[in-house]
Every structure is written in structure tokens, then in C-alpha cells.
Amino acid sequence: MTLLDLWLSRSIPMCLLLQSLVLMALCFPSASMCPKGCMCQRDPHLHGLNVTCSQSRLKEIPPSLPVDTVLLRLDHNQIGAVPDQAFHGLRLLRELNLSYNAVETLGEGSFSGIEAALQVLDLSHNRITSVHKDAFARLKARIIVDDNPWHCDCALQQAISGMAHNHEASARVLCRSSELLDQEGRPFLAVDTDLCNLTKRTTDYAMLVTMFGWFAMVISYVVYYVRQNQEDARRHLEYLKSLPSKPKKPDEADDISTVV
């Protein structure tokens, strides 16, 4: 065996080893990329990562999610809030599962940065009562929002009207509480009243009552002031009348006639 044959026999296994390492690096992300408590697996069909953090006892959204995440499962945790910009940078994210958590409210920027690619957003089985009116405004995804203790008000009405699939979402929303007492416990779809105008009318009525109250106070003060002045004037007049009058001096003519 020549030296060339010997070199080739040793280099071929080395090349195979390097090739295997490259394939492993492409197919399985490093542990430093995957958040603690999560499993990350590359999806060859979607050209990105499937990140599964289900049932990991998470109390907040992991801060360092891989930028090439296409599927993110955060269900069955104890996440209580979705901060603004929480998913910023995940421009390839297609599906986000936040079901079975403890989220109570959603802000305007809770889903900022993922509007373009997101196709499914699951928020079911949380504790959401209220959302910002523009929380879903730029999303084109199918949004699942059932099984939450919703408070049906103007903001929720505006948020649902901004959804791409608003009819499906509103059909699944039950009003745990409402601006209209007779809507409590009923589907949001049954609310045929413009809650925003209702709020405006309520505000206008409150302002009218407040203005009437101030006006009544001013009138009462003016009446009290006039009556007080009248009473003071009457007392002053009585005082003047009670003063003794001065005796009159006899006229000079009377003096002369008396002398004569």
C-alpha cells in the first residue's frame, strides 16, 4: 500500500465524520439556542424550528426564543401576561399556542412583530377579561379565544371587529360580564348594541348630571346671598327706626306771637 492509499484510507472516514456533524448541526439546534424547559426540533418542511414548551411550569414567556421558530407551543403553563414585543423578531412564526395559561389581559403590542406570518393563535382556556382595542388589529391569523371570562365592552367590540375571522371569534366569546346587564352569560355575537356609543352616551349623561349639579350649586349660592343681603338690610332699617328722634326747635314766628 502506497502512502497515497494510506492517506486516502484515513481521510475518507474523517470526511464522513465532518459531514455527519454538519448534518446534525443543521437538523438539531444547539442546547444554547433552545430555551430552558423546551424542546426544539427542526422542521424540514417549514424550514424552521418547532419549539415545544408545554407543561414546563413556565410563569413567563421565555426571553430568548430562536429567531427561526415556526411553531411555538406554550400551552399548559402558568404564564400570566404577554408583554409588548414578547415575540418580536420571530418573523417566521406560523402557529402560537398559549392555551391553558393564566393570561388576564392583552396590550396593543402583545403580538407585535409576528403579524405577517402568523396563521393560528390559540388563546383559549385563559383568564382574559379585557384586551386593547388594537390587540388583534394587524393579525391575519385565525384566533381562538373561547373559554375566557370576557368583559364585553367597547374595547372588546373594537378588537373583535378588527380580527380577520371576527365572526368565528365573536361566536365563541361568552360575556362573563357586560356593559349591558342583560347580555351577561350570553354569546358576544348576540350583542347587537354599539357598546362604544353606549359608553359615550353614559359619559355624556354623567357630564350633564355633573354640570346640572354645579349649576344648582351656583343658583343656590346666589339665592342665599340675595336673601342674606335682604335680611341684613331689614335689620339695618329696623335699627335706624329704633333710634330716638331729636326734639324740634320752636319757630321764631311762634316766639314773637307768644310775646305779643
Side-chain angles (χ1 to χ4, degrees):
M1 178 180 294
T2 63
L3 293 175
L4 179 61
D5 294 334
L6 182 61
W7 181 81
L8 289 174
S9 64
R10 291 183 177 181
S11 61
I12 290 176
M14 184 63 69
C15 291
L16 292 175
L17 178 60
L18 291 175
Q19 184 178 6
S20 299
L21 291 175
V22 171
L23 289 175
M24 289 179 64
L26 291 175
C27 295
F28 301 99
S30 64
S32 60
M33 292 176 57
C34 196
K36 183 179 180 180
C38 303
M39 293 187 300
C40 302
Q41 183 177 4
R42 188 161 296 278
D43 191 327
H45 302 290
L46 298 177
H47 306 289
L49 292 178
N50 290 346
V51 181
T52 302
C53 308
S54 306
Q55 298 181 348
S56 299
R57 298 181 180 179
L58 297 177
K59 294 186 178 180
E60 59 183 17
I61 296 170
S64 301
L65 293 165
V67 295
D68 54 345
T69 301
V70 294
L71 174 59
L72 178 57
R73 293 187 177 93
L74 295 168
D75 55 290
H76 292 87
N77 282 291
Q78 302 168 13
I79 298 173
V82 183
D84 290 350
Q85 311 290 328
F87 305 103
H88 188 72
L90 305 184
R91 301 186 181 279
L92 302 178
L93 188 62
R94 296 191 179 187
E95 183 175 337
L96 174 58
N97 190 341
L98 276 165
S99 62
Y100 292 95
N101 275 284
V103 180
E104 296 182 357
T105 185
L106 297 171
E108 181 180 5
S110 294
F111 306 107
S112 176
I114 60 175
E115 300 92 347
L118 194 67
Q119 298 177 0
V120 178
L121 172 60
D122 192 346
L123 295 167
S124 62
H125 300 279
N126 274 275
R127 301 174 186 173
I128 304 174
T129 57
S130 61
V131 296
H132 190 276
K133 64 182 182 67
D134 295 323
F136 310 122
R138 292 178 291 274
L139 291 175
K140 299 180 178 63
R142 174 174 172 260
I143 305 174
I144 305 171
V145 294
D146 48 310
D147 289 305
N148 282 285
W150 292 103
H151 174 68
C152 295
D153 58 0
C154 173
L156 179 61
Q157 195 168 52
Q158 290 178 314
I160 290 181
S161 65
M163 291 181 180
H165 305 274
N166 55 7
H167 185 81
E168 177 185 356
S170 58
R172 292 177 175 270
V173 171
L174 290 179
C175 300
R176 176 71 63 86
S177 59
S178 176
E179 297 292 334
L180 301 172
L181 296 179
D182 59 343
Q183 296 295 339
E184 294 181 1
R186 300 180 60 190
F188 186 76
L189 193 63
V191 178
D192 55 358
T193 303
D194 190 344
L195 296 177
C196 296
N197 283 339
L198 176 66
T199 303
K200 183 177 182 300
R201 288 198 299 269
T202 303
T203 303
D204 292 344
Y205 178 75
M207 290 180 63
L208 182 62
V209 171
T210 303
M211 291 177 62
F212 179 79
W214 279 104
F215 182 74
M217 289 178 61
V218 172
I219 295 298
S220 300
Y221 177 77
V222 171
V223 171
Y224 171 79
Y225 181 77
V226 171
R227 287 183 177 179
Q228 188 67 28
N229 285 346
Q230 288 178 345
E231 183 67 19
D232 291 343
R234 185 184 64 79
R235 290 177 180 176
H236 184 68
L237 183 60
E238 289 180 355
Y239 171 75
L240 293 178
K241 289 181 178 181
S242 65
L243 292 176
S245 58
K246 294 181 180 181
K248 294 183 179 180
K249 293 181 180 181
D251 295 336
E252 294 181 358
D254 294 337
D255 294 341
I256 294 173
S257 62
T258 304
V259 172
V260 175

